[in-house]
Amino acid sequence: MRKILIFGGGGMVGQKLAQSLADNPLAAGDRVTLCDLHFPENGAPVAEQITGTVTNPAVLKRLAETRPDIVYYLAAIVSGEAERDFDLGWQVNMAAFQSFVDAFRAEVLASGGDYKPKVIFTSSIAVFGAPFPEKIDDTFFHAPQTSYGAQKAMSELLLTDHIRKGFFDGLSIRLPTICVRPGKPNKAASSFFSGIIREPLNGVDAILPVDPTTRHWHASPRSAAGFLRHAATLDQAVYENRPALNMPGVSCTVGEQIEALWDLCGADVASRIHHEPDPEIEAIVKNWPRDFAPERAIRLGFTAEKDFTEIIQVYLDDDFAG
Amino acid sequence: MRKILIFGGGGMVGQKLAQSLADNPLAAGDRVTLCDLHFPENGAPVAEQITGTVTNPAVLKRLAETRPDIVYYLAAIVSGEAERDFDLGWQVNMAAFQSFVDAFRAEVLASGGDYKPKVIFTSSIAVFGAPFPEKIDDTFFHAPQTSYGAQKAMSELLLTDHIRKGFFDGLSIRLPTICVRPGKPNKAASSFFSGIIREPLNGVDAILPVDPTTRHWHASPRSAAGFLRHAATLDQAVYENRPALNMPGVSCTVGEQIEALWDLCGADVASRIHHEPDPEIEAIVKNWPRDFAPERAIRLGFTAEKDFTEIIQVYLDDDFAG
């Protein structure tokens, strides 16, 4: 029996992953535990739930002592919030990740060689900053233009050094912007990418805060859960000492997103999107990547959608209740 | 009158910089203070000396309260030592740098807009890890293969985000391997690059722990001090939101280093080098960069030597007492 622990298990991606592991376990007997500050109130829990915060070292120590075989680390303050509250962002996205790594390394050292977890960390394409090449390749440098991106880039480096030294197995996964997110808008600067699809489908008006020519890099929640599942199945050697990967995704403009919505769901739905430029959001998003050539991840078998129509279809299949 | 503070001011590069600032101040009236655990015992101090460690937050707070205009941060555990003592490396090279940034940001916030230091941080080409392109360009990614490299890369990201947010001005400078270092061998894995020149010149046998075909990237101590001086004179805008730069240097093999020594100082001197492979050193050095195309730094006016003969000549002029 393997133990799987998901920090940030109450969040959207954490819940998608937990549901996926419940529906279709990676291996027979896998037992999944979620840790988060909050969990969804609707529906039955998809796995064991522990209420706690990664900013509390005692929580980290207690969970490290359970010696989970696979640890997903998804806990984070989102980009917009980390940009507005500098101290909170650094505390949650960096200091807590350092405490997490310290707590699990302490358990590894205490085990005398018996315990070596596989740590899968969700990083972000926000580690990259403009100006960019047409497509970002697998050796383009980290030049984040947000605190969130800096925190993710630093966490990757910290995890990679612990993997290199043999304390953990694992990988950092740079998620595309996850779209279409179900539920309500959140404080991420990227929230509108989902909002302009989700709200109109639910009969609600949506605000587009950036220019329709804005190009960005997307994958569905189903793909995000798929990336995280697939990462748990790969042997450490495949990463060739570079365990941080750009994930596959779909590059398209906001205009193309709206066009796909129009084609799939009609003009009435698409007409509920209203363009109201927001300089704060525009300033953040213009420094975000637009397209990738994620050759290593594709070679290792990570897969995402082929186009934005498919991304909308995944939302309609998995999350749309209308 | 400007105040200039140098953390790690007792080290070799710190002393070269302090001597250079004493001989030839950046501006009339500049006052230089050095902070370090130890200072050289020979000769008169080149500037005011404060004995203290960057791992003590009280020291950082006290020095931040003096509101230095320019802060050079050179304090570090060297690469070989950080690789052998994992905890010490992370404590000194990362946790202390975080404390430094926190202490100076606190002073900036307390000043209500009166105080904004220029922070110049010495990073390293160890932020890059093999495999490399033939020449590393200005957008090649950080993939360190040592803890030292990871700590330097993370510190750069931390400083850059504080600069982006307007708390500091400043820059991270990725120094080439500094060669020829005067004095005694140190615990850096790169120590032999200097040892094979310095020891034979002083009539002492030297051990070459790597293959003579090993190619690496060098600049003299005089150039290092020059980089740090030049960084203090540039306007923040020139960095275009990417204040971390590969410095210029000389790319050559160890064989070419020895050939330059032979040509300049004769066969007797060069024959004092003995090849004794050291697997630990070889494992570290094979993952280090070999050549760069540091176009941004060159465009901004940073300069180094043209070839290794010139690097030896700088040692003979500045440091050789024989």
Side-chain angles (χ1 to χ4, degrees), chain A residues 73 121-125 127 148-149 152-153 156 172-176:
Chain A
Y73 193 99
F121 170 65
T122 50
S123 183
S124 163
I125 57 173
V127 300
Y148 177 82
K152 290 292 188 182
E156 282 187 14
S172 295
I173 280 181
R174 296 189 198 112
L175 292 180

Side-chain angles (χ1 to χ4, degrees), chain A residues 137-303:
Chain A
D137 70 17
D138 289 328
T139 64
F140 190 64
F141 78 150
H142 291 178
Q145 298 293 327
T146 57
S147 295
Y148 177 82
Q151 291 143 10
K152 290 292 188 182
M154 288 173 65
S155 296
E156 282 187 14
L157 286 158
L158 181 64
L159 176 59
T160 293
D161 201 54
H162 282 70
I163 291 169
R164 186 184 63 82
K165 284 293 225 178
F167 301 120
F168 309 146
D169 283 336
L171 175 70
S172 295
I173 280 181
R174 296 189 198 112
L175 292 180
T177 289
I178 301 305
C179 192
V180 180
R181 294 178 64 93
K184 300 201 168 159
N186 70 7
K187 292 178 184 175
S190 58
S191 183
F192 75 88
F193 285 117
S194 289
I196 59 167
I197 307 301
R198 183 188 59 231
E199 309 306 348
L201 280 169
N202 290 321
V204 177
D205 283 4
I207 289 167
L208 172 63
V210 303
D211 194 85
T213 60
T214 304
R215 178 174 287 281
H216 197 53
W217 182 245
H218 305 274
S220 74
R222 190 196 287 175
S223 287
F227 300 152
L228 293 165
R229 291 178 62 98
H230 187 60
T233 69
L234 293 174
D235 188 86
Q236 194 64 31
V238 303
Y239 303 124
E240 298 170 318
N241 291 323
R242 289 179 168 182
L245 287 176
N246 298 332
M247 288 292 109
V250 172
S251 173
C252 65
T253 65
V254 169
E256 287 163 358
Q257 283 187 257
I258 296 170
E259 202 174 292
L261 182 66
W262 184 301
D263 289 349
L264 207 61
C265 308
D268 280 3
V269 169
S271 69
R272 294 193 186 110
I273 302 166
H274 306 284
H275 187 205
E276 292 180 19
D278 178 328
E280 192 193 349
I281 303 276
E282 281 183 326
I284 293 178
V285 173
K286 83 177 163 54
N287 286 316
W288 280 356
R290 297 183 285 266
D291 198 0
F292 284 81
E295 289 171 16
R296 289 185 67 211
I298 289 168
R299 200 165 59 236
L300 293 173
F302 291 91
T303 58

Side-chain angles (χ1 to χ4, degrees), chain B:
Chain B
M1 188 205 78
R2 296 188 312 182
K3 295 182 200 166
I4 300 177
L5 174 62
I6 308 176
F7 285 105
M12 190 275 286
V13 173
Q15 287 282 299
K16 287 283 181 193
L17 174 61
Q19 185 68 59
S20 169
L21 293 172
D23 295 344
N24 182 18
L26 286 168
D30 278 355
R31 198 178 122 201
V32 180
T33 302
L34 314 179
C35 176
D36 211 324
L37 271 172
H38 306 288
F39 292 96
E41 287 168 16
N42 300 330
V46 291
E48 185 194 2
Q49 295 181 175
I50 291 174
T51 302
T53 169
V54 290
T55 58
N56 181 351
V59 168
L60 296 169
K61 182 168 188 292
R62 185 159 58 85
L63 288 169
E65 285 166 358
T66 67
R67 298 195 179 173
D69 302 279
I70 299 171
V71 183
Y72 289 104
Y73 193 99
L74 283 59
I77 292 291
V78 295
S79 55
E81 196 169 4
E83 201 58 24
R84 276 187 294 276
D85 190 335
F86 188 81
D87 286 309
L88 183 68
W90 282 98
Q91 186 193 347
V92 175
N93 293 349
M94 190 64 235
F97 189 73
Q98 176 79 60
S99 299
F100 156 74
V101 161
D102 291 346
F104 277 75
R105 176 169 166 261
E107 189 62 25
V108 167
L109 295 176
S111 80
D114 278 357
Y115 178 52
K116 183 177 183 179
K118 180 173 285 203
V119 177
I120 299 167
F121 170 66
T122 49
S123 183
S124 164
I125 56 173
V127 301
F128 302 106
F132 307 105
E134 170 94 8
K135 283 174 188 261
I136 293 178
D137 70 17
D138 289 327
T139 64
F140 190 64
F141 77 151
H142 290 177
Q145 299 292 326
T146 58
S147 294
Y148 177 81
Q151 291 144 11
K152 290 291 189 184
M154 288 171 66
S155 296
E156 281 187 15
L157 287 158
L158 181 64
L159 176 59
T160 293
D161 201 53
H162 281 69
I163 292 169
R164 186 184 63 81
K165 282 292 223 179
F167 301 121
F168 309 146
D169 283 337
L171 175 69
S172 296
I173 281 181
R174 296 187 198 113
L175 291 179
T177 289
I178 301 305
C179 192
V180 180
R181 294 178 65 92
K184 301 199 168 159
N186 71 6
K187 292 179 183 174
S190 58
S191 183
F192 75 89
F193 285 117
S194 288
I196 58 167
I197 307 300
R198 183 187 60 231
E199 309 306 349
L201 280 169
N202 290 320
V204 178
D205 283 5
I207 288 168
L208 172 63
V210 303
D211 194 85
T213 60
T214 303
R215 178 175 286 280
H216 196 54
W217 183 245
H218 306 274
S220 74
R222 191 195 287 175
S223 288
F227 300 153
L228 294 164
R229 291 178 63 97
H230 187 61
T233 69
L234 294 174
D235 188 86
Q236 195 64 31
V238 302
Y239 303 124
E240 297 171 318
N241 292 323
R242 290 179 168 182
L245 287 177
N246 299 331
M247 288 292 110
V250 171
S251 173
C252 65
T253 65
V254 170
E256 288 162 357
Q257 283 187 256
I258 296 170
E259 203 174 291
L261 182 66
W262 184 300
D263 290 347
L264 207 61
C265 308
D268 280 3
V269 170
S271 69
R272 295 193 185 109
I273 302 165
H274 306 285
H275 187 206
E276 291 179 20
D278 177 328
E280 191 192 348
I281 302 276
E282 281 183 326
I284 293 178
V285 173
K286 82 176 162 54
N287 287 315
W288 280 356
R290 295 182 287 265
D291 198 358
F292 283 81
E295 289 171 18
R296 289 185 67 213
I298 290 168
R299 201 166 57 237
L300 292 172
F302 292 92
T303 58
E305 287 76 19
K306 296 286 171 293
D307 56 34
F308 202 81
T309 301
E310 198 181 334
I311 286 179
I312 298 176
Q313 194 59 57
V314 168
Y315 175 71
L316 294 173
D317 294 347
D318 290 2
D319 291 300
F320 183 57

Side-chain angles (χ1 to χ4, degrees), chain A residues 2-26:
Chain A
R2 295 189 311 180
K3 295 180 199 168
I4 300 177
L5 174 61
I6 307 177
F7 286 105
M12 190 275 288
V13 173
Q15 287 283 300
K16 287 284 180 191
L17 174 60
Q19 185 68 58
S20 169
L21 293 172
D23 294 343
N24 181 19
L26 286 168

